Amino acid sequence: MADMQTRATLVAPFYRHTTRLLAALCQPHRLVLAALFVAGVIAAVVGMNWRWLPRYLPLLIQGLEMTLIMLVASVVVGFLFALPLALAQAGGAALLRWPAHAFCTLVRGTPLLLQMWLLYYGLGAVFAQYPEIRQSWLWDYLRQAWPYGFVALTISFAAYQGEIMRGALAGVPRGELEAAASFGMSSRQIFRRVWFPRALHRALPALSGEIILQLKSTPLVATISVMDLYAVITRVRQATFLTYEPLLLMVAVYLCLSGILIVALRWLERRVPTGS
Amino acid sequence: MTTVFDFSLLAYNPPGWGRVLLVGFMRSLQLAAGGYCLGIVIGVLGAIGKLYGGRLVRDLMEIYTLVIRAVPELVLMLLFYYVGTDLARQGAQALGYQGFDIDGLAAGILVIGLVQGGYATEVLRGAIQAIPRGQIEAAQAFGMSPRQVHRRVTLPAMVPHALPGMANLWMIATKDTALLAVIGFSELTQVTRQAAGATQAYLLFFLSAGALYLSLTLVSNFILRRVERRARRGLVAAR
């Protein structure tokens, strides 16, 4: 292995990654594992029943889109809410600090599924009681399921991410903030130019982990009848009476999604210059 | 109907649903505790396999933890539930038992434990790696066999390093039991939904279930923090 690495460093940098990957793959037991994997895939494709796939493909793609929209929207909006939550806890007055802390504890201390059902069934029933709401333009949205799923996912992401950002904001060395202050920056400028970028940089690995966790939370929206990938697969299973084929497809799709996300986030992390 | 809560619905005796909720809560606790313990067993074996196992064992463990961490828990639970019950049924039929039925609690614990095991493997592996090498070398220098080194030095010395991660995993285990409601296990979230559906008092029941979960989290947090502090006694480098 050490020999491989020294040889790899001699090769031009462009080929280094591929040679290392090949070297890692070319161990005998890994070749056997890879062969077993390929054989398994072939056996699954040949031996299992995939005739339903063409018919449900458009629906599956719609479901995948819904999953991705839920993920991206809840991460972006959740992050916007996480910032004030973190700020209130890291540097706010006591009056702001404890409601923010209580909110984070509340959300992180109860299951997301329960929160989603509380919003959808509980609040949904309350909204339906008021004719003022039923007659307003809002009702067009409140009648559907996806706003509740989106809100639940967003709240959850904001609470978990708020906790991470709180730690990151508190972890920025005081000297850097004092240096910024001695340059005559206003507190807003300090936040925008020093405090926030430094904290974001520290929080980046945890943030990408949290985004992966968020992807893994999205199928919960299927339980309140949002047609995401999980819901589509459930429908396929009910319509075709197949147990394993749709499940295996779903596992494969989620594995690919996670893989792509991990690679993309790692690439993003590497692009941010490390200060220290 | 107004939004004012009718608390008599939470009464312990039958017109109220208090008893049903508490039974569901106990069931959730059993599932979480059982799954967590199974997860620790898998985690210890997995961590040892990852650190000291042969190449094949190491790669298989890597695949296991990768899949567990990359696929949604809900999907994993569904998969484990069907595969597990199918295998158990076929095994029972092969052994000659007819009409074999899997105990719901055991199936739930298995499902939670398999998911927890993937994360526990990573936590415990990190904790074992955090032990200063000198301690293990010292044990070897005393002439202890590898098994003795494990039992006397590695496993006890790893505990303080593993506790924060394992405490976090317990919190995840308690909340993951709620996902079993989707598969149809009658734990707290599922019975709450039934009670809410039967009485139409959705907000009241979901809020009470939330309070139960939250109290469990807060009590666990309090206890675990004390345990952690006690385990870290005398440890020089606090993180």
PDB file of all heavy atoms in Angstrom, chain A residues 85-114:
ATOM      1  N   LEU A  85     -31.765  32.362  14.972  1.00  0.00           N
ATOM      2  CA  LEU A  85     -31.814  31.480  16.146  1.00  0.00           C
ATOM      3  C   LEU A  85     -30.429  31.360  16.780  1.00  0.00           C
ATOM      4  O   LEU A  85     -30.279  31.428  18.001  1.00  0.00           O
ATOM      5  CB  LEU A  85     -32.291  30.080  15.744  1.00  0.00           C
ATOM      6  CG  LEU A  85     -33.795  29.848  15.661  1.00  0.00           C
ATOM      7  CD1 LEU A  85     -34.078  28.464  15.135  1.00  0.00           C
ATOM      8  CD2 LEU A  85     -34.406  30.015  17.035  1.00  0.00           C
ATOM      9  N   ALA A  86     -29.418  31.175  15.924  1.00  0.00           N
ATOM     10  CA  ALA A  86     -28.060  31.021  16.438  1.00  0.00           C
ATOM     11  C   ALA A  86     -27.564  32.317  17.043  1.00  0.00           C
ATOM     12  O   ALA A  86     -26.947  32.342  18.103  1.00  0.00           O
ATOM     13  CB  ALA A  86     -27.137  30.570  15.310  1.00  0.00           C
ATOM     14  N   LEU A  87     -27.842  33.435  16.357  1.00  0.00           N
ATOM     15  CA  LEU A  87     -27.390  34.742  16.840  1.00  0.00           C
ATOM     16  C   LEU A  87     -28.000  35.053  18.189  1.00  0.00           C
ATOM     17  O   LEU A  87     -27.314  35.527  19.105  1.00  0.00           O
ATOM     18  CB  LEU A  87     -27.784  35.821  15.834  1.00  0.00           C
ATOM     19  CG  LEU A  87     -26.684  36.285  14.899  1.00  0.00           C
ATOM     20  CD1 LEU A  87     -27.211  37.380  14.009  1.00  0.00           C
ATOM     21  CD2 LEU A  87     -25.486  36.763  15.700  1.00  0.00           C
ATOM     22  N   ALA A  88     -29.303  34.780  18.321  1.00  0.00           N
ATOM     23  CA  ALA A  88     -29.979  35.075  19.578  1.00  0.00           C
ATOM     24  C   ALA A  88     -29.361  34.275  20.714  1.00  0.00           C
ATOM     25  O   ALA A  88     -29.230  34.763  21.835  1.00  0.00           O
ATOM     26  CB  ALA A  88     -31.467  34.753  19.468  1.00  0.00           C
ATOM     27  N   GLN A  89     -28.950  33.021  20.400  1.00  0.00           N
ATOM     28  CA  GLN A  89     -28.386  32.196  21.466  1.00  0.00           C
ATOM     29  C   GLN A  89     -26.934  32.521  21.738  1.00  0.00           C
ATOM     30  O   GLN A  89     -26.457  32.385  22.864  1.00  0.00           O
ATOM     31  CB  GLN A  89     -28.502  30.715  21.087  1.00  0.00           C
ATOM     32  CG  GLN A  89     -29.907  30.197  21.149  1.00  0.00           C
ATOM     33  CD  GLN A  89     -29.944  28.713  20.850  1.00  0.00           C
ATOM     34  OE1 GLN A  89     -29.645  27.891  21.684  1.00  0.00           O
ATOM     35  NE2 GLN A  89     -30.320  28.395  19.633  1.00  0.00           N
ATOM     36  N   ALA A  90     -26.201  32.941  20.695  1.00  0.00           N
ATOM     37  CA  ALA A  90     -24.761  33.148  20.879  1.00  0.00           C
ATOM     38  C   ALA A  90     -24.468  34.526  21.457  1.00  0.00           C
ATOM     39  O   ALA A  90     -23.570  34.676  22.275  1.00  0.00           O
ATOM     40  CB  ALA A  90     -24.030  32.981  19.550  1.00  0.00           C
ATOM     41  N   GLY A  91     -25.212  35.542  21.018  1.00  0.00           N
ATOM     42  CA  GLY A  91     -24.837  36.876  21.461  1.00  0.00           C
ATOM     43  C   GLY A  91     -25.999  37.750  21.865  1.00  0.00           C
ATOM     44  O   GLY A  91     -25.823  38.932  22.129  1.00  0.00           O
ATOM     45  N   GLY A  92     -27.198  37.174  21.907  1.00  0.00           N
ATOM     46  CA  GLY A  92     -28.357  38.004  22.160  1.00  0.00           C
ATOM     47  C   GLY A  92     -28.575  38.296  23.629  1.00  0.00           C
ATOM     48  O   GLY A  92     -27.910  37.748  24.501  1.00  0.00           O
ATOM     49  N   ALA A  93     -29.533  39.177  23.896  1.00  0.00           N
ATOM     50  CA  ALA A  93     -29.920  39.453  25.271  1.00  0.00           C
ATOM     51  C   ALA A  93     -30.677  38.242  25.816  1.00  0.00           C
ATOM     52  O   ALA A  93     -31.158  37.409  25.057  1.00  0.00           O
ATOM     53  CB  ALA A  93     -30.791  40.700  25.312  1.00  0.00           C
ATOM     54  N   ALA A  94     -30.755  38.167  27.157  1.00  0.00           N
ATOM     55  CA  ALA A  94     -31.407  37.010  27.785  1.00  0.00           C
ATOM     56  C   ALA A  94     -32.840  36.876  27.293  1.00  0.00           C
ATOM     57  O   ALA A  94     -33.352  35.774  27.116  1.00  0.00           O
ATOM     58  CB  ALA A  94     -31.375  37.151  29.301  1.00  0.00           C
ATOM     59  N   LEU A  95     -33.467  38.018  27.026  1.00  0.00           N
ATOM     60  CA  LEU A  95     -34.860  38.004  26.592  1.00  0.00           C
ATOM     61  C   LEU A  95     -35.009  37.278  25.246  1.00  0.00           C
ATOM     62  O   LEU A  95     -36.019  36.658  24.963  1.00  0.00           O
ATOM     63  CB  LEU A  95     -35.359  39.442  26.475  1.00  0.00           C
ATOM     64  CG  LEU A  95     -36.872  39.611  26.538  1.00  0.00           C
ATOM     65  CD1 LEU A  95     -37.375  39.245  27.920  1.00  0.00           C
ATOM     66  CD2 LEU A  95     -37.261  41.027  26.179  1.00  0.00           C
ATOM     67  N   LEU A  96     -33.969  37.400  24.400  1.00  0.00           N
ATOM     68  CA  LEU A  96     -33.999  36.700  23.114  1.00  0.00           C
ATOM     69  C   LEU A  96     -33.435  35.299  23.239  1.00  0.00           C
ATOM     70  O   LEU A  96     -33.829  34.389  22.532  1.00  0.00           O
ATOM     71  CB  LEU A  96     -33.158  37.472  22.093  1.00  0.00           C
ATOM     72  CG  LEU A  96     -33.760  38.740  21.522  1.00  0.00           C
ATOM     73  CD1 LEU A  96     -32.719  39.443  20.673  1.00  0.00           C
ATOM     74  CD2 LEU A  96     -34.974  38.392  20.690  1.00  0.00           C
ATOM     75  N   ARG A  97     -32.476  35.159  24.165  1.00  0.00           N
ATOM     76  CA  ARG A  97     -31.732  33.906  24.208  1.00  0.00           C
ATOM     77  C   ARG A  97     -32.620  32.738  24.616  1.00  0.00           C
ATOM     78  O   ARG A  97     -32.585  31.701  24.002  1.00  0.00           O
ATOM     79  CB  ARG A  97     -30.559  34.039  25.177  1.00  0.00           C
ATOM     80  CG  ARG A  97     -29.536  32.924  25.002  1.00  0.00           C
ATOM     81  CD  ARG A  97     -28.419  33.062  26.001  1.00  0.00           C
ATOM     82  NE  ARG A  97     -27.836  34.397  25.984  1.00  0.00           N
ATOM     83  CZ  ARG A  97     -27.278  34.984  27.044  1.00  0.00           C
ATOM     84  NH1 ARG A  97     -27.232  34.330  28.181  1.00  0.00           N
ATOM     85  NH2 ARG A  97     -26.767  36.178  26.951  1.00  0.00           N
ATOM     86  N   TRP A  98     -33.414  32.946  25.690  1.00  0.00           N
ATOM     87  CA  TRP A  98     -34.094  31.744  26.149  1.00  0.00           C
ATOM     88  C   TRP A  98     -35.254  31.289  25.282  1.00  0.00           C
ATOM     89  O   TRP A  98     -35.446  30.083  25.146  1.00  0.00           O
ATOM     90  CB  TRP A  98     -34.401  31.783  27.652  1.00  0.00           C
ATOM     91  CG  TRP A  98     -35.602  32.559  28.099  1.00  0.00           C
ATOM     92  CD1 TRP A  98     -35.597  33.772  28.695  1.00  0.00           C
ATOM     93  CD2 TRP A  98     -36.965  32.145  28.020  1.00  0.00           C
ATOM     94  NE1 TRP A  98     -36.869  34.162  28.967  1.00  0.00           N
ATOM     95  CE2 TRP A  98     -37.724  33.186  28.567  1.00  0.00           C
ATOM     96  CE3 TRP A  98     -37.610  31.013  27.523  1.00  0.00           C
ATOM     97  CZ2 TRP A  98     -39.103  33.126  28.627  1.00  0.00           C
ATOM     98  CZ3 TRP A  98     -38.989  30.962  27.588  1.00  0.00           C
ATOM     99  CH2 TRP A  98     -39.719  32.007  28.138  1.00  0.00           C
ATOM    100  N   PRO A  99     -36.006  32.215  24.616  1.00  0.00           N
ATOM    101  CA  PRO A  99     -37.000  31.654  23.669  1.00  0.00           C
ATOM    102  C   PRO A  99     -36.345  30.867  22.538  1.00  0.00           C
ATOM    103  O   PRO A  99     -36.845  29.805  22.148  1.00  0.00           O
ATOM    104  CB  PRO A  99     -37.716  32.900  23.132  1.00  0.00           C
ATOM    105  CG  PRO A  99     -37.429  33.975  24.082  1.00  0.00           C
ATOM    106  CD  PRO A  99     -36.120  33.672  24.706  1.00  0.00           C
ATOM    107  N   ALA A 100     -35.222  31.366  22.043  1.00  0.00           N
ATOM    108  CA  ALA A 100     -34.536  30.650  20.962  1.00  0.00           C
ATOM    109  C   ALA A 100     -34.060  29.292  21.452  1.00  0.00           C
ATOM    110  O   ALA A 100     -34.215  28.267  20.765  1.00  0.00           O
ATOM    111  CB  ALA A 100     -33.352  31.467  20.456  1.00  0.00           C
ATOM    112  N   HIS A 101     -33.505  29.284  22.667  1.00  0.00           N
ATOM    113  CA  HIS A 101     -33.027  28.014  23.224  1.00  0.00           C
ATOM    114  C   HIS A 101     -34.194  27.048  23.438  1.00  0.00           C
ATOM    115  O   HIS A 101     -34.085  25.855  23.118  1.00  0.00           O
ATOM    116  CB  HIS A 101     -32.294  28.286  24.537  1.00  0.00           C
ATOM    117  CG  HIS A 101     -31.716  27.056  25.155  1.00  0.00           C
ATOM    118  ND1 HIS A 101     -30.661  26.378  24.595  1.00  0.00           N
ATOM    119  CD2 HIS A 101     -32.059  26.358  26.259  1.00  0.00           C
ATOM    120  CE1 HIS A 101     -30.379  25.325  25.336  1.00  0.00           C
ATOM    121  NE2 HIS A 101     -31.215  25.281  26.351  1.00  0.00           N
ATOM    122  N   ALA A 102     -35.301  27.578  23.958  1.00  0.00           N
ATOM    123  CA  ALA A 102     -36.468  26.730  24.217  1.00  0.00           C
ATOM    124  C   ALA A 102     -36.991  26.148  22.902  1.00  0.00           C
ATOM    125  O   ALA A 102     -37.333  24.960  22.830  1.00  0.00           O
ATOM    126  CB  ALA A 102     -37.558  27.532  24.914  1.00  0.00           C
ATOM    127  N   PHE A 103     -37.022  26.966  21.871  1.00  0.00           N
ATOM    128  CA  PHE A 103     -37.501  26.490  20.571  1.00  0.00           C
ATOM    129  C   PHE A 103     -36.630  25.347  20.064  1.00  0.00           C
ATOM    130  O   PHE A 103     -37.133  24.298  19.635  1.00  0.00           O
ATOM    131  CB  PHE A 103     -37.485  27.660  19.576  1.00  0.00           C
ATOM    132  CG  PHE A 103     -37.844  27.272  18.179  1.00  0.00           C
ATOM    133  CD1 PHE A 103     -39.168  27.092  17.805  1.00  0.00           C
ATOM    134  CD2 PHE A 103     -36.855  27.076  17.228  1.00  0.00           C
ATOM    135  CE1 PHE A 103     -39.492  26.729  16.523  1.00  0.00           C
ATOM    136  CE2 PHE A 103     -37.170  26.713  15.941  1.00  0.00           C
ATOM    137  CZ  PHE A 103     -38.493  26.534  15.589  1.00  0.00           C
ATOM    138  N   CYS A 104     -35.308  25.536  20.122  1.00  0.00           N
ATOM    139  CA  CYS A 104     -34.398  24.488  19.640  1.00  0.00           C
ATOM    140  C   CYS A 104     -34.579  23.212  20.448  1.00  0.00           C
ATOM    141  O   CYS A 104     -34.616  22.106  19.892  1.00  0.00           O
ATOM    142  CB  CYS A 104     -32.947  24.957  19.717  1.00  0.00           C
ATOM    143  SG  CYS A 104     -32.511  26.088  18.397  1.00  0.00           S
ATOM    144  N   THR A 105     -34.682  23.342  21.786  1.00  0.00           N
ATOM    145  CA  THR A 105     -34.843  22.154  22.625  1.00  0.00           C
ATOM    146  C   THR A 105     -36.139  21.428  22.300  1.00  0.00           C
ATOM    147  O   THR A 105     -36.174  20.199  22.191  1.00  0.00           O
ATOM    148  CB  THR A 105     -34.855  22.560  24.106  1.00  0.00           C
ATOM    149  OG1 THR A 105     -33.735  23.401  24.346  1.00  0.00           O
ATOM    150  CG2 THR A 105     -34.783  21.350  25.005  1.00  0.00           C
ATOM    151  N   LEU A 106     -37.188  22.220  22.128  1.00  0.00           N
ATOM    152  CA  LEU A 106     -38.510  21.645  21.843  1.00  0.00           C
ATOM    153  C   LEU A 106     -38.488  20.847  20.540  1.00  0.00           C
ATOM    154  O   LEU A 106     -38.972  19.717  20.474  1.00  0.00           O
ATOM    155  CB  LEU A 106     -39.511  22.791  21.730  1.00  0.00           C
ATOM    156  CG  LEU A 106     -40.935  22.523  22.154  1.00  0.00           C
ATOM    157  CD1 LEU A 106     -40.970  22.289  23.645  1.00  0.00           C
ATOM    158  CD2 LEU A 106     -41.810  23.712  21.790  1.00  0.00           C
ATOM    159  N   VAL A 107     -37.931  21.447  19.503  1.00  0.00           N
ATOM    160  CA  VAL A 107     -37.943  20.793  18.196  1.00  0.00           C
ATOM    161  C   VAL A 107     -37.010  19.589  18.188  1.00  0.00           C
ATOM    162  O   VAL A 107     -37.343  18.528  17.650  1.00  0.00           O
ATOM    163  CB  VAL A 107     -37.549  21.799  17.096  1.00  0.00           C
ATOM    164  CG1 VAL A 107     -37.392  21.090  15.760  1.00  0.00           C
ATOM    165  CG2 VAL A 107     -38.582  22.889  16.997  1.00  0.00           C
ATOM    166  N   ARG A 108     -35.845  19.734  18.842  1.00  0.00           N
ATOM    167  CA  ARG A 108     -34.878  18.634  18.811  1.00  0.00           C
ATOM    168  C   ARG A 108     -35.256  17.524  19.769  1.00  0.00           C
ATOM    169  O   ARG A 108     -34.725  16.422  19.683  1.00  0.00           O
ATOM    170  CB  ARG A 108     -33.476  19.158  19.114  1.00  0.00           C
ATOM    171  CG  ARG A 108     -32.917  19.934  17.939  1.00  0.00           C
ATOM    172  CD  ARG A 108     -31.775  20.871  18.310  1.00  0.00           C
ATOM    173  NE  ARG A 108     -31.192  20.592  19.580  1.00  0.00           N
ATOM    174  CZ  ARG A 108     -29.967  20.077  19.748  1.00  0.00           C
ATOM    175  NH1 ARG A 108     -29.232  19.810  18.715  1.00  0.00           N
ATOM    176  NH2 ARG A 108     -29.506  19.868  20.954  1.00  0.00           N
ATOM    177  N   GLY A 109     -36.171  17.814  20.699  1.00  0.00           N
ATOM    178  CA  GLY A 109     -36.526  16.812  21.696  1.00  0.00           C
ATOM    179  C   GLY A 109     -37.718  15.953  21.330  1.00  0.00           C
ATOM    180  O   GLY A 109     -38.059  15.037  22.064  1.00  0.00           O
ATOM    181  N   THR A 110     -38.367  16.251  20.210  1.00  0.00           N
ATOM    182  CA  THR A 110     -39.528  15.456  19.814  1.00  0.00           C
ATOM    183  C   THR A 110     -39.313  14.929  18.397  1.00  0.00           C
ATOM    184  O   THR A 110     -38.604  15.543  17.604  1.00  0.00           O
ATOM    185  CB  THR A 110     -40.811  16.298  19.844  1.00  0.00           C
ATOM    186  OG1 THR A 110     -40.580  17.498  19.118  1.00  0.00           O
ATOM    187  CG2 THR A 110     -41.202  16.657  21.263  1.00  0.00           C
ATOM    188  N   PRO A 111     -39.933  13.782  18.068  1.00  0.00           N
ATOM    189  CA  PRO A 111     -39.726  13.214  16.734  1.00  0.00           C
ATOM    190  C   PRO A 111     -40.324  14.102  15.643  1.00  0.00           C
ATOM    191  O   PRO A 111     -41.392  14.690  15.830  1.00  0.00           O
ATOM    192  CB  PRO A 111     -40.486  11.882  16.794  1.00  0.00           C
ATOM    193  CG  PRO A 111     -40.762  11.627  18.217  1.00  0.00           C
ATOM    194  CD  PRO A 111     -40.790  12.932  18.906  1.00  0.00           C
ATOM    195  N   LEU A 112     -39.604  14.166  14.520  1.00  0.00           N
ATOM    196  CA  LEU A 112     -40.073  14.963  13.387  1.00  0.00           C
ATOM    197  C   LEU A 112     -41.423  14.468  12.874  1.00  0.00           C
ATOM    198  O   LEU A 112     -42.284  15.261  12.494  1.00  0.00           O
ATOM    199  CB  LEU A 112     -39.021  14.922  12.277  1.00  0.00           C
ATOM    200  CG  LEU A 112     -39.360  15.595  10.958  1.00  0.00           C
ATOM    201  CD1 LEU A 112     -39.691  17.055  11.163  1.00  0.00           C
ATOM    202  CD2 LEU A 112     -38.210  15.473   9.988  1.00  0.00           C
ATOM    203  N   LEU A 113     -41.610  13.153  12.906  1.00  0.00           N
ATOM    204  CA  LEU A 113     -42.877  12.591  12.418  1.00  0.00           C
ATOM    205  C   LEU A 113     -44.041  13.149  13.234  1.00  0.00           C
ATOM    206  O   LEU A 113     -45.081  13.525  12.685  1.00  0.00           O
ATOM    207  CB  LEU A 113     -42.832  11.068  12.528  1.00  0.00           C
ATOM    208  CG  LEU A 113     -44.051  10.334  11.988  1.00  0.00           C
ATOM    209  CD1 LEU A 113     -44.141  10.498  10.488  1.00  0.00           C
ATOM    210  CD2 LEU A 113     -44.007   8.863  12.353  1.00  0.00           C
ATOM    211  N   LEU A 114     -43.859  13.217  14.547  1.00  0.00           N
ATOM    212  CA  LEU A 114     -44.914  13.728  15.418  1.00  0.00           C
ATOM    213  C   LEU A 114     -45.184  15.202  15.111  1.00  0.00           C
ATOM    214  O   LEU A 114     -46.335  15.640  15.044  1.00  0.00           O
ATOM    215  CB  LEU A 114     -44.496  13.556  16.882  1.00  0.00           C
ATOM    216  CG  LEU A 114     -45.600  13.818  17.885  1.00  0.00           C
ATOM    217  CD1 LEU A 114     -46.461  12.593  18.032  1.00  0.00           C
ATOM    218  CD2 LEU A 114     -45.026  14.211  19.226  1.00  0.00           C
TER     219      LEU A 114
END
